[in-house]
């Protein structure tokens, strides 16, 4: 069973913010911004490429609710999903990174970086 399925099953602890029948939002263990929340479906879906549109519709609403709950809906945020090997996905259970709480740099995707790939 993957690490996020264990979080869903409460086999390993997590700092949960919001939960419904389908999704959970919890704080990332190694935050990369003042606010760094992970949003996952309770069922195991490996990555964004595998997710059904119907689930994404519900997940969109849930992520919007989380952003409002933690007070970054107006100030803004970045929503990221890493997909597969080249996307740098480490945990193979679909998750969205909800990042905010400060004006976030975008340095990893500059023209200069692109030239060096
Ligand atoms: P990925 O690189 O797959 O897009 O992101 C995986 C994320 O999961 C990373 O930001 C990492 O810090 C986070 N993470 C890994 N293991 C755990 C854990 O056991 N608990 C929590 N809350 N976050 C985790
Ligand atoms: Zn899983």
């Amino acid at each position: 069973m993957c690490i996020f399925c264990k979080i869903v099953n409460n086999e390993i602890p997590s700092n949960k913010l919001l939960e419904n029948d389908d999704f959970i939002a919890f704080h990332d263990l190694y935050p990369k911004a003042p606010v760094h929340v992970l949003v996952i479906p309770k069922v195991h879906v490996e990555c964004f490429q595998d997710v059904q549109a119907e689930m994404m519709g519900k997940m969109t609403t849930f992520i919007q609710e989380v952003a409002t709950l933690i007070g970054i809906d107006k100030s803004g945020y970045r929503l990221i999903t890493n997909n597969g090997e080249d996307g740098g996905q480490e945990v193979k259970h679909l998750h969205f990174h909800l990042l905010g709480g400060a004006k976030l740099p975008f340095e990893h995707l500059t023209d200069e970086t692109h030239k060096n790939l």
Side-chain angles (χ1 to χ4, degrees):
M1 189 187 290
C2 91
I3 191 162
F4 286 175
C5 281
K6 286 182 181 167
I7 284 177
V8 172
N9 291 338
N10 288 313
E11 286 177 32
I12 59 169
S14 69
N15 196 347
K16 278 181 207 156
L17 281 160
L18 191 65
E19 180 173 4
N20 68 14
D21 286 346
D22 300 318
F23 309 106
I24 305 180
F26 53 94
H27 290 282
D28 196 293
L29 206 51
Y30 308 101
K32 286 143 192 100
V35 173
H36 188 173
V37 172
L38 298 174
V39 181
I40 65 169
K42 288 188 173 178
V43 296
H44 183 89
V45 175
E46 184 167 319
C47 62
F48 182 77
Q49 191 61 28
D50 289 349
V51 74
Q52 299 291 312
E54 193 196 347
M55 176 184 277
M56 272 315 303
K58 291 181 185 166
M59 207 167 178
T60 297
T61 302
F62 185 78
I63 291 168
Q64 290 164 344
E65 286 169 8
V66 174
T68 302
L69 178 74
I70 59 181
I72 60 170
D73 55 318
K74 301 283 193 301
S75 52
Y77 54 84
R78 188 168 296 156
L79 188 64
I80 296 174
T81 188
N82 297 323
N83 188 96
E85 183 70 22
D86 282 359
Q89 183 179 2
E90 285 178 8
V91 178
K92 303 292 190 290
H93 180 129
L94 175 66
H95 54 282
F96 283 85
H97 298 258
L98 183 57
L99 300 149
K103 194 153 178 66
L104 302 172
F106 208 38
E107 288 150 359
H108 58 298
L109 290 176
T110 60
D111 290 351
E112 212 47 51
T113 314
H114 183 232
K115 279 180 214 154
N116 293 328
L117 289 176

